[in-house]
Amino acid sequence: MVKLHFSGKVIYTIVCLIAVLLLINTALMYRNNQVIVRNKVMQEEADSIKLLSVEMMRTLHLLDLGLRGYAISASKQLLAPYDSSIVRKDRIMNKLQSALTKQGYPMQDFKTLRSHINDYYGIAIEMKSLLDKADQQLFKKLFDEDRGFTLQRDYRKFLADVQVFENSIARTAKAKHAQALLFSYWMQGILFLLCVPTLLYLAHYANKTFWLAEELNQSQREKAELLTRENKTLEDQVQARTNDLLLMNEEIVAQNEEIISQNEEIVATNDQLFAQRQEIEKQHDALRMHYDALQEAHKTIASQHTLIQQYNKDLVREVESQTKDLLRANVELKERNAQLEQFTYVISHNLRGPMSRIQGLAGIMAYATNEAEVLDIGQKMNVSTQDMDRVIKDLTMIMEIRNINHKTLEEISLPEVLAHAMQLLQYEIHECRAIIDTNLQVKTIYALTAYAESIFYNLISNAIKYRSPDRHLVIQVFSYQKDRDVVIEVRDNGLGIDMVQFSEKIFVPYKRFHLHVPGRGLGLYLVKTQVESLEGKLEVESTVNEGTVFKIYFPSR
């Protein structure tokens, strides 16, 4: 009994320990969830800070663009980017300061940068005031100092520092989450190592208890049979002695008294055995109830263990999915930033040319000797202004393409779109007697009709412009299904492009590879921009003096 009592204490202690570990495990699960939530919030804040930083850079470009446009044409309408930049500057900087302060970024550098930005805006306001007063000499002096270059350099350094800081925060959050998961795995292992031996010991203990109960029942049955045999023997003895007592009354009386005494002892013994049997049955019932409770606890533990494993799997899948989405978003953001930086450079270059010509012509006009020279200079200035207007319109069109809402895509007919593009180029096709061969296995795609027509128009128009003078022009247009994409191919046998030399510059705006025909070098850039805005992908293969193949991949719905 002492051994059983000690074993019972051990079992209760282990069960209490398991309960405590389950509570700790629940707390760890809650902590894991909190870590995941904090990680998600920190990632969203990091993305917001990066976007705000880029937005501030764009606001600075708007300030310069509006001020330069106003300086060139003195038109109040061209001040719209300048006014928008003035309005948006403080709002963006306040949001950026609040977000960086919340994340613990060293604000001294930010305050210094903000002070430089405010100084630059003060200079810009002063330059606009000089333009309003027509003080060109003082304006040109401030403009030649080019203080925006230093600000751009400092701001790019700030962007790099913010990128490093946000990446550090992301790594810290990820490390904390990994540590929380490791603690959870250790706790699961400890629970497993404690629960399995405990349940095995309880099963052994219950089995031993049932065996002891069966032994007690067997002993009780043997005692009852022994009493039955003894009673039968006593009855035979009583019958024999009764016959003897008929002869000996005195001996019978004495023997009867002895028998009565023996019977009383037997009755007392039977009562005692009956009480012991009831006590054994009570202990057996208590053991059965304890075994049922242990079975129920085992089922509860197994159910919770299965649920915890499922939670862990769901958490791992969610973290992996979010990590992939963040990586993909980061890659797309880097690509967009690179494209934006390249496009900004090209636009600035193309705006600077007409602007320089206008300034030079304005300087020459002061030395004109007659009305004819003034008229000629004015016509040239008008041409330069038209060139600048064309560049601004190109910029507006490209920004509209990039801001397309993918929810507006609709199912369009490829044969109808291609026919309309060929109708617009009917005169050119007839003039060069081009042969256009079409084989459209897939008839429909999800896109915008205007963009699809523009893509076909630009590709066919380029094939006509850059046809080879040594052979008859043949243009082939195919569409077919490949895996999950609809592929559209436009082939020609024209002059081709040197891919070794120009592969990195094919889709750069205002870049041309054949100068014997007129053009602006914007067609292929528009095609690539429109394809990507429709969630597609554009590939090009070309061989000099053999021809060019453009492949467009649109995802199937």
Side-chain angles (χ1 to χ4, degrees):
M1 294 298 292
V2 175
K3 183 178 180 182
L4 292 177
H5 182 65
F6 175 77
S7 300
K9 288 184 177 180
V10 173
I11 292 172
Y12 287 130
T13 301
I14 294 176
V15 170
C16 292
L17 180 59
I18 291 173
V20 171
L21 290 176
L22 286 174
L23 290 175
I24 295 174
N25 186 55
T26 303
L28 285 176
M29 290 178 59
Y30 177 78
R31 181 171 176 268
N32 288 346
N33 292 333
Q34 293 295 106
V35 169
I36 291 173
V37 171
R38 286 198 297 272
N39 187 22
K40 183 178 180 181
V41 171
M42 291 172 68
Q43 289 292 343
E44 291 176 352
E45 290 176 352
D47 292 339
S48 175
I49 289 173
K50 293 176 183 177
L51 291 176
L52 285 172
S53 301
V54 174
E55 184 68 15
M56 189 60 214
M57 176 67 77
R58 183 170 176 267
T59 302
L60 290 172
H61 287 314
L62 288 176
L63 179 71
D64 289 338
L65 182 63
L67 192 60
R68 292 171 186 267
Y70 182 58
I72 293 170
S73 65
S75 173
K76 294 291 186 179
Q77 295 180 352
L78 294 180
L79 277 176
Y82 172 89
D83 295 335
S84 175
S85 176
I86 294 294
V87 172
R88 295 168 58 185
K89 185 259 295 181
D90 288 334
R91 175 173 56 83
I92 295 174
M93 293 301 291
N94 290 336
K95 288 184 179 180
L96 191 57
Q97 181 174 358
S98 175
L100 290 175
T101 302
K102 184 177 180 181
Q103 288 194 342
Y105 184 82
M107 297 305 296
Q108 185 60 37
D109 296 339
F110 176 82
K111 291 179 181 178
T112 302
L113 178 65
R114 184 168 187 175
S115 177
H116 291 169
I117 291 175
N118 290 334
D119 293 341
Y120 184 71
Y121 269 78
I123 293 172
I125 293 173
E126 182 180 356
M127 293 173 70
K128 177 182 176 297
S129 177
L130 292 173
L131 290 174
D132 293 336
K133 297 176 182 179
D135 191 348
Q136 295 291 337
Q137 183 177 1
L138 186 55
F139 171 81
K140 188 174 184 301
K141 179 180 179 182
L142 290 176
F143 181 81
D144 291 339
E145 291 179 1
D146 195 14
R147 300 187 184 183
F149 174 78
T150 303
L151 180 61
Q152 291 284 350
R153 182 188 60 196
D154 294 340
Y155 196 85
R156 290 183 184 278
K157 182 179 180 299
F158 168 73
L159 285 179
D161 293 339
V162 168
Q163 182 74 20
V164 173
F165 180 76
E166 296 303 330
N167 291 340
S168 175
I169 289 178
R171 286 194 298 271
T172 301
K174 185 176 182 181
K176 288 182 179 179
H177 179 240
Q179 183 181 10
L181 287 179
L182 180 61
F183 285 159
S184 179
Y185 294 152
W186 274 104
M187 186 59 61
Q188 298 299 323
I190 292 171
L191 284 173
F192 179 81
L193 293 176
L194 286 175
C195 290
V196 171
T198 301
L199 293 174
L200 292 175
Y201 180 79
L202 290 176
H204 172 72
Y205 185 80
N207 186 44
K208 186 175 181 180
T209 302
F210 290 151
W211 178 78
L212 289 174
E214 186 64 25
E215 290 291 325
L216 289 174
N217 289 333
Q218 183 64 27
S219 175
Q220 184 66 28
R221 286 194 296 269
E222 291 176 355
K223 287 181 179 180
E225 291 176 357
L226 178 60
L227 291 174
T228 301
R229 289 194 299 271
E230 288 179 352
N231 287 333
K232 183 173 176 54
T233 301
L234 288 173
E235 289 176 357
D236 293 340
Q237 291 176 358
V238 169
Q239 184 64 35
R241 289 180 180 182
T242 301
N243 293 330
D244 293 337
L245 289 174
L246 291 174
L247 301 175
M248 301 173 63
N249 288 331
E250 292 180 358
E251 292 180 2
I252 290 174
V253 172
Q255 290 177 357
N256 282 337
E257 291 176 353
E258 184 178 357
I259 290 171
I260 290 171
S261 177
Q262 291 178 354
N263 285 332
E264 289 176 353
E265 291 177 358
I266 292 171
V267 170
T269 302
N270 286 333
D271 292 339
Q272 185 179 3
L273 292 173
F274 182 78
Q276 291 178 355
R277 181 177 179 181
Q278 288 181 338
E279 183 66 22
I280 291 171
E281 288 178 351
K282 289 180 181 180
Q283 293 178 357
H284 177 71
D285 293 336
L287 289 172
R288 181 176 293 279
M289 291 176 63
H290 186 63
Y291 175 76
D292 292 340
L294 289 176
Q295 288 291 102
E296 187 66 26
H298 172 68
K299 292 179 181 178
T300 302
I301 292 172
S303 175
Q304 292 180 350
H305 179 68
T306 302
L307 185 60
I308 290 170
Q309 288 181 333
Q310 185 62 38
Y311 283 163
N312 288 337
K313 291 179 181 178
D314 293 342
L315 287 173
V316 171
R317 285 196 295 268
E318 182 66 20
V319 170
E320 290 177 351
S321 176
Q322 291 182 359
T323 301
K324 291 179 181 178
D325 291 342
L326 288 174
L327 290 175
R328 185 167 54 252
N330 286 334
V331 171
E332 291 178 357
L333 183 59
K334 289 179 180 178
E335 291 178 354
R336 285 293 180 93
N337 288 339
Q339 293 175 1
L340 180 60
E341 184 175 352
Q342 182 189 52
F343 185 72
T344 302
Y345 171 77
V346 172
I347 291 298
S348 300
H349 180 271
N350 284 281
L351 284 173
R352 192 178 296 113
M355 186 184 303
S356 299
R357 292 200 304 271
I358 292 173
Q359 290 176 342
L361 291 170
I364 295 172
M365 184 177 288
Y367 300 99
T369 58
N370 54 56
E371 184 178 353
E373 290 182 358
V374 172
L375 182 61
D376 182 58
I377 293 173
Q379 290 177 350
K380 292 180 179 179
M381 291 179 69
N382 184 46
V383 172
S384 297
T385 304
Q386 290 177 356
D387 291 341
M388 185 180 298
D389 181 67
R390 186 181 304 110
V391 172
I392 295 174
K393 288 181 179 179
D394 291 342
L395 172 62
T396 304
M397 177 177 60
I398 292 170
M399 295 306 296
E400 289 177 353
I401 293 173
R402 290 187 177 277
N403 293 330
I404 180 176
N405 186 355
H406 296 295
K407 294 182 180 180
T408 62
L409 301 184
E410 58 183 357
E411 187 176 18
I412 64 173
S413 172
L414 284 178
E416 293 180 2
V417 171
L418 178 59
H420 188 263
M422 292 171 60
Q423 183 179 0
L424 294 175
L425 294 168
Q426 182 178 4
Y427 176 78
E428 290 83 352
I429 294 172
H430 177 73
E431 184 180 13
C432 67
R433 297 181 181 180
I435 298 175
I436 299 181
D437 183 17
T438 62
N439 183 11
L440 303 178
Q441 298 179 11
V442 179
K443 305 294 184 182
T444 61
I445 60 171
Y446 280 88
L448 292 178
T449 302
Y451 283 9
E453 289 179 356
S454 176
I455 291 169
F456 280 124
Y457 179 89
N458 280 296
L459 292 179
I460 296 175
S461 175
N462 277 1
I464 294 173
K465 284 181 182 179
Y466 305 113
R467 62 186 181 273
S468 173
D470 301 329
R471 52 185 172 271
H472 202 70
L473 175 62
V474 177
I475 302 174
Q476 297 175 310
V477 182
F478 304 135
S479 70
Y480 54 89
Q481 188 77 32
K482 183 177 181 181
D483 298 331
R484 295 186 177 182
D485 295 330
V486 175
V487 183
I488 299 175
E489 287 189 15
V490 179
R491 297 173 174 264
D492 65 63
N493 60 344
L495 296 175
I497 303 172
D498 188 350
M499 298 298 290
V500 176
Q501 183 178 0
F502 301 115
S503 60
E504 300 297 330
K505 302 179 180 179
I506 291 179
F507 300 110
V508 174
Y510 302 105
K511 181 65 65 176
R512 302 182 61 203
F513 310 109
H514 302 286
L515 304 179
H516 65 283
V517 293
R520 302 199 330 252
L522 199 61
L524 292 182
Y525 179 76
L526 289 176
V527 169
K528 186 174 186 298
T529 303
Q530 290 170 334
V531 169
E532 290 178 349
S533 68
L534 297 175
E535 300 179 339
K537 181 178 67 173
L538 178 63
E539 294 179 354
V540 58
E541 300 172 2
S542 185
T543 303
V544 177
N545 294 327
E546 291 186 10
T548 305
V549 180
F550 289 94
K551 293 183 179 180
I552 306 172
Y553 297 82
F554 287 114
S556 301
R557 297 285 176 168

